[in-house]
Amino acid sequence: MKGIDWIEGKIKFIDQTRLPGEEVFLELDDYRGVVTAIKEMKVRGAVTISIAAAYGIALGAQSIKAESKEAFIRQLSQLCQTFSATRPTAVNLFRAIERLSRLAQAADNISQIKASLINEARKIQAEEERATERLSKLGAELIEDGFTILTHCNTGTLAVGGYGTALGVIKAAREQRKRVNVIAAETRPLLQGARLTTWELTRENIPVTLITDSMAGYFMNRGKVNCVILGADRIAANGDVANKIGTYTLAVLAMENGIPFYVAAPTSTIDLSISSGAEMPIEERDPEEVTHIQGVPIAPEGVNAANPAFDITPHLYVTAIITEKGIIKEPYELRLKKVMQT
Ligand code: MRU
């Protein structure tokens, strides 16, 4: 299964809000549909968002009508702006947009820009596929036969379009014939762990046990977890990690219980322009995602609710960051910089 694809001028992906109940594929030929799909998380996960946006911009660019390259670029940058305003935390989105904008500036004429944007979006997807496959293989070396791995949110094919980040590492360990068990935290409020991670792992025949987020400490304290692996949406220059809300809690619990805490992410998730987690933009989503579960109210009408979608895990809690260019440990500042130069 491919999480997302470009087929004959259309962007095709599975609607992640309908999983696991229904496997509905969307085929979009209007960039506005892609913008909405990203905002509504029909397509989600740091890497998949960037690929969807890249294809969405390439798609939107095809119907820009302009007389000159300058006029075209002006409209294209508005289009890029629209995609930039979808989801602020995952840096992969902004990196992809930057790549497309730079390419457009360098091209000679409008038809060259239109063609090169599609090619570049394809290239971004192919590069991410290679990167996540490679990091998964490298990360699998950290997994021993018989390990039980706790993970959070969804970091598989759905989230990256390719192999996966944390789930990729788990899949690769399994391909190396290691026996692994996964504990998937449900990931309130939108339940990516319960709905998507268990769906992906079941399809791969990897044993998984679903828990509520608040059960994690119980299992760690009872010695039932050998390591925690999860993904990232943005990694600052000092190694601080933005990831799905609840990640920080898991990191603190892992340290308290002496359990290794690994972050798996391609280098496109590393943002050296941000020195620490304090500068990371955290997406605030509709409080209704907290007061309702799949449209059903679970709290009194009108109650105040907060909904930060991500949190920051300080680097001191991170045992290692698994990238396609190697497994990085402290001192993060120095080593992340080095990795980004290679
Ligand atoms: O809000 P989401 O579901 O898009 O958040 C996704 C995550 O936080 C993932 O853990 C992260 O993107 C890493 S996997 C590429």
Side-chain angles (χ1 to χ4, degrees), residues 2-252:
K2 263 196 161 187
I4 184 162
D5 219 350
W6 171 270
I7 298 168
E8 291 165 11
K10 288 185 186 161
I11 305 171
K12 187 175 173 188
F13 55 85
I14 195 161
D15 181 346
Q16 298 191 34
T17 58
R18 309 276 286 270
L19 288 171
E22 293 168 290
E23 295 180 23
V24 177
F25 283 88
L26 300 175
E27 285 187 26
L28 305 179
D29 57 7
D30 185 327
Y31 82 90
R32 282 166 288 221
V34 186
V35 170
T36 309
I38 295 173
K39 283 185 182 161
E40 293 179 354
M41 295 173 63
K42 289 179 165 45
V43 63
R44 53 147 291 285
V47 177
T48 307
I49 292 170
S50 73
I51 297 165
Y55 283 137
I57 291 166
L59 187 64
Q62 306 308 308
S63 44
I64 292 179
K65 293 196 175 26
E67 299 281 303
S68 64
K69 183 185 158 188
E70 287 66 36
F72 186 93
I73 296 278
R74 268 198 302 280
Q75 290 190 56
L76 183 68
S77 67
Q78 271 167 16
L79 185 60
C80 290
Q81 202 39 51
T82 307
F83 277 92
S84 294
T86 52
R87 299 197 64 197
T89 303
V91 73
N92 311 64
L93 167 69
F94 302 96
R95 183 159 272 137
I97 292 174
E98 211 179 286
R99 269 177 75 160
L100 296 188
S101 310
R102 244 187 288 126
L103 201 84
Q105 296 282 357
D108 289 333
N109 55 54
I110 294 174
S111 57
Q112 202 185 81
I113 299 176
K114 288 186 178 178
S116 63
L117 290 177
I118 299 174
N119 286 340
E120 192 69 3
R122 280 189 186 286
K123 226 169 117 188
I124 290 172
Q125 177 162 27
E127 282 173 25
E128 293 293 16
E129 274 174 12
R130 278 197 299 276
T132 55
E133 197 166 336
R134 172 100 191 111
L135 76 84
S136 298
K137 290 211 169 93
L138 289 176
E141 299 300 327
L142 298 167
I143 311 295
E144 290 172 28
D145 184 37
F147 259 24
T148 295
I149 303 153
L150 191 145
T151 192
H152 190 56
C153 196
N154 170 264
T155 60
T157 301
L158 294 168
V160 303
Y163 203 71
T165 56
L167 280 198
V169 171
I170 293 167
K171 283 198 248 173
R174 174 63 178 249
E175 275 160 24
Q176 292 173 0
R177 304 200 174 281
K178 291 171 187 161
R179 283 162 300 172
V180 289
N181 285 291
V182 178
I183 295 180
E186 63 173 350
T187 321
R188 274 282 285 150
L190 294 180
L191 304 172
Q192 291 93 326
R195 294 187 302 106
L196 309 175
T197 294
T198 59
W199 181 77
E200 282 200 42
L201 289 173
T202 305
R203 284 166 63 106
E204 299 279 342
N205 285 318
I206 297 177
V208 56
T209 303
L210 174 66
I211 61 167
T212 66
D213 297 334
S214 52
M215 292 175 190
Y218 171 87
F219 285 102
M220 287 195 206
N221 184 257
R222 297 218 152 189
K224 303 285 186 206
V225 176
N226 297 103
C227 68
V228 176
I229 311 184
L230 28 66
D233 290 84
R234 199 186 285 242
I235 299 170
N238 70 345
D240 290 355
V241 173
N243 191 50
K244 181 51 56 195
I245 192 77
T247 298
Y248 171 52
T249 319
L250 293 174
V252 175

Side-chain angles (χ1 to χ4, degrees), residues 273-309:
S273 76
I274 276 189
S275 57
S276 80
E279 296 164 46
M280 302 230 198
I282 299 293
E283 178 182 6
E284 285 282 341
R285 293 187 61 84
D286 191 337
E288 201 175 299
E289 291 177 353
V290 176
T291 56
H292 292 62
I293 293 183
Q294 303 202 313
V296 178
I298 55 157
E301 208 187 318
V303 75
N304 247 347
N307 191 11

